[in-house]
Amino acid sequence: MPLDEFDLIRRYFTRATPGAALGIGDDAALIAPAAGLQLAVAADTMVEGRHFFAGADPYSLGWKSLAVNLSDMAAMGAAPRWFTLCLTLPAADAGWLADYARGLFALADAHGAELIGGDTTSGLLAMSIQILGEVEPGQALRRDGARDGDDVWLSGPTGAAALAVRQRYGELALAAADLAHCAERLDRPVPRVALGRALRGLASAAIDVSDGLAADLGHIARASGLAAEIELALLPQLPLDPAVQAVPGYDLARLAGGDDYELCFTAAPAERARIAALGAELALPLARIGAMRAGRGVTVRDAAGQPLALPRAGFNHFD
């Protein structure tokens, strides 16, 4: 017997929501943010053929569709609490839905985020999640707080996801171990929620690297009325076979590839010791990769200090 919309929701997505006054099952959910906290709200959509390849593993899609939203909470220094899901399906396939829900809730449970509502319909495979988090007033990490002379930091190496995309398009051939690492980074990114929370009161600005490091740092620069400089030699190297560094476009992947979901943030030079200690505490390779300066735009400098030209700035959803 085919699943209808309500059976689908009951079977795969209805769970207890102790953190909400009312969860799935009514015309709207009811939530009560903790006293004195602000709500941080974000939303992301993933569409087959635009954000993921046809035939993608449903468990990984469930994981990633929430991960990209959790990454937005991380970039704001917010604690994720609730989310809604709008799911468009070509067909109500029970096996696909079970695997998608497992991936979704594996990450949701790890971060204490509750699914409290949404919608389902038929059509081209797509998933939209809206997430709500809590943050202390005045403590949210924003893009407009960087100051002239601030250091620019990155929470981990970028570029692996972009290399996985190139592999799937047949543009390069990675060794099995390297491909496995790159595919994991593309399909099941790890949102830096704990880091974002720890950066409250420490970072002056932050953003998650979703569309490409140079492009996303450019958003901080623009919002803060400054220029940003990246020193290519300071970017953390991907943990791949050294031969991969000779692949044409390797540096472009690290600078403009997107889908990394690391945090890029700025902080005063006086905070270097505290940030280093935080990296050790969280077992994250926090790297100082540049600085904010007076001016406009983003400049990438090579080992000799010469500016590099970037063929493109980063991912654009309407290219």
Side-chain angles (χ1 to χ4, degrees):
M1 181 176 179
L3 289 170
D4 67 19
E5 176 184 4
F6 303 103
D7 289 335
L8 185 159
I9 292 169
R10 280 192 294 268
R11 183 178 300 183
Y12 299 107
F13 298 109
T14 301
R15 310 172 92 206
T17 54
L22 179 65
I24 292 172
D26 217 305
D27 289 309
L30 299 174
I31 58 174
L37 297 183
Q38 293 179 324
L39 278 179
V41 184
D44 270 291
T45 297
M46 288 172 48
V47 179
E48 185 178 71
R50 186 58 179 165
H51 302 97
F52 58 91
F53 289 86
D57 168 49
Y59 183 99
S60 296
L61 285 178
W63 176 287
K64 187 170 182 176
S65 59
L66 183 58
V68 301
N69 287 270
L70 288 168
S71 187
D72 286 331
M73 292 293 101
M76 298 296 293
R81 294 293 311 279
W82 309 279
F83 66 99
T84 62
L85 167 67
C86 291
L87 189 58
T88 304
L89 298 165
D93 181 281
W96 191 98
L97 283 161
D99 286 343
Y100 178 88
R102 284 195 308 107
L104 179 79
F105 288 123
L107 193 58
D109 292 346
H111 291 279
E114 296 177 353
L115 176 61
I116 57 171
D119 192 23
T120 59
T121 190
S122 63
L124 178 69
L125 183 60
M127 50 222 64
S128 296
I129 286 180
Q130 182 180 64
I131 193 165
L132 300 95
E134 294 175 327
V135 65
E136 297 78 4
Q139 291 295 300
L141 304 175
R142 297 170 42 156
R143 300 178 182 184
D144 61 0
R147 296 177 290 266
D148 186 3
D150 276 357
D151 295 325
V152 177
W153 293 82
L154 184 63
S155 66
T158 55
L163 293 176
V165 170
R166 290 186 61 194
Q167 167 92 14
R168 290 176 186 180
Y169 276 125
E171 297 175 0
L172 60 87
L174 295 169
D178 292 338
L179 176 57
H181 173 81
C182 291
E184 183 78 5
R185 293 281 289 171
L186 175 65
D187 297 332
R188 301 185 191 180
V190 178
R192 304 303 187 189
V193 175
L195 173 62
R197 294 290 288 163
L199 287 174
R200 291 168 300 149
L202 181 57
S204 54
I207 193 169
D208 74 323
V209 182
S210 56
D211 295 332
L213 174 59
D216 288 321
L217 179 55
H219 295 317
I220 289 180
R222 189 176 304 109
S224 300
L226 294 169
E229 291 188 352
I230 298 173
E231 295 183 45
L232 187 61
L234 296 180
L235 289 186
Q237 293 287 338
L238 292 167
L240 305 176
D241 188 305
V244 177
Q245 298 176 33
V247 170
Y250 172 75
D251 286 331
L252 179 61
R254 295 196 294 161
L255 291 165
D259 255 338
D260 297 296
Y261 300 101
E262 297 293 348
L263 291 189
C264 179
F265 60 95
T266 61
E271 305 291 0
R272 290 177 184 175
R274 288 179 63 192
I275 292 172
L278 177 59
E281 177 185 339
L282 297 177
L284 283 177
L286 304 182
R288 183 164 52 89
I289 64 167
M292 304 300 296
R293 305 291 184 211
R296 298 176 62 186
V298 177
T299 301
V300 180
R301 299 192 181 278
D302 64 16
Q306 297 302 306
L308 296 175
L310 289 176
R312 61 184 178 88
F315 181 76
N316 185 307
H317 294 265
F318 290 93
D319 278 350

